[in-house]
């Protein structure tokens, strides 16, 4: 079981990533990402267009095969910021809030590969309820707990948590 102080830190990270998601500029989803290493926030991101490009909230979504391609995902923006500023992400945890997907990871395969390539050791998907502002369309299912993705043995003690090892995923 986690120590009360450690649990408090995790709850605070969840609240911060929820707040970050409010900055997302796509009308279809508001997603936030927070990269934490050694208990410190090292990078943040939200889904939005690249700097200098128009945002969905200003000119509408650019849809291809049912997906908006105008914006960069929150996870990719957080990783890109760290890279651009020379901030190492080896062994870090990325917290993500705002996705409802039918996939096991809760993040897209491209962002999962990017996080692994950046050395991020764990992905934590922070769940949300239908009543929250990020809710857009009826999903195939609602995430029912925190998803931990890790490349090391992880004993999850968070209620409702699901654990995935990248070696086991296909």
């Amino acid at each position: 079981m986690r120590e009360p102080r450690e649990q408090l830190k995790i709850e605070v990270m969840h609240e911060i990533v929820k707040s970050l998601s409010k900055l997302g500029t796509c009308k279809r989803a508001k997603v936030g990402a927070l990269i934490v290493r050694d208990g410190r926030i090292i990078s943040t991101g939200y889904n939005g267009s690249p700097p200098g490009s128009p945002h969905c909230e200003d000119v509408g979504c650019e849809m291809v095969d049912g997906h908006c391609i105008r914006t960069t995902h929150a996870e990719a923006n957080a990783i890109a910021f760290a890279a651009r500023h020379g901030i190492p992400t080896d062994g870090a945890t990325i917290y993500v809030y705002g996705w409802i997907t039918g996939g096991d990871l809760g993040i897209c395969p491209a962002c999962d590969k990017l996080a692994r390539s950046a050395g991020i050791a764990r992905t934590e998907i922070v769940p949300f309820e239908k009543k929250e502002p990020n809710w857009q369309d009826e999903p195939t299912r609602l995430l029912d707990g925190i998803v931990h993705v890790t490349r090391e043995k992880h004993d999850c003690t968070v209620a409702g948590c699901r654990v995935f090892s990248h070696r086991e995923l296909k």
Side-chain angles (χ1 to χ4, degrees):
M1 187 165 188
R2 290 184 173 159
E3 296 293 322
R5 182 83 178 147
E6 182 64 22
Q7 186 61 37
L8 176 61
K9 286 181 182 179
I10 291 169
E11 290 170 11
V12 168
M13 296 305 170
H14 289 188
E15 292 304 316
I16 292 170
V17 77
K18 285 180 179 184
S19 293
L20 279 170
S21 73
K22 295 174 185 175
L23 296 173
T25 63
C26 184
K27 296 176 180 181
R28 299 183 74 239
K30 302 272 187 199
V31 181
L34 179 71
I35 302 176
V36 176
R37 191 182 66 234
D38 299 327
R40 303 267 183 199
I41 297 168
I42 60 171
S43 187
T44 62
Y46 53 87
N47 61 321
S49 298
S53 298
H55 293 284
C56 296
E57 61 190 15
D58 298 325
V59 297
C61 294
E62 185 177 344
M63 301 299 292
V64 174
D65 295 327
H67 300 281
C68 178
I69 62 166
R70 184 176 306 285
T71 62
T72 303
H73 287 187
E75 306 92 305
N77 269 330
I79 293 166
F81 178 86
R84 193 167 54 247
H85 294 280
I87 303 168
T89 55
D90 284 344
T93 295
I94 187 168
Y95 294 86
V96 182
Y97 175 81
W99 286 127
I100 297 180
T101 70
D104 285 334
L105 292 178
I107 62 174
C108 78
C111 286
D112 176 55
K113 287 189 287 187
L114 184 61
R116 288 190 284 154
S117 295
I120 292 174
R122 195 167 91 187
T123 299
E124 223 174 277
I125 307 300
V126 180
F128 62 97
E129 299 295 327
K130 187 173 182 176
K131 299 175 196 133
E132 294 191 48
N134 277 13
W135 189 268
Q136 296 293 324
D137 300 314
E138 193 67 29
T140 54
R141 69 182 171 132
L142 179 66
L143 287 173
D144 59 356
I146 301 165
V147 177
H148 295 273
V149 181
T150 183
R151 275 167 289 300
E152 57 192 44
K153 186 170 172 65
H154 176 65
D155 180 26
C156 183
T157 58
V158 178
C161 177
R162 294 178 302 186
V163 179
F164 299 93
S165 166
H166 286 289
R167 289 180 296 279
E168 297 167 9
L169 296 174
K170 297 192 190 295

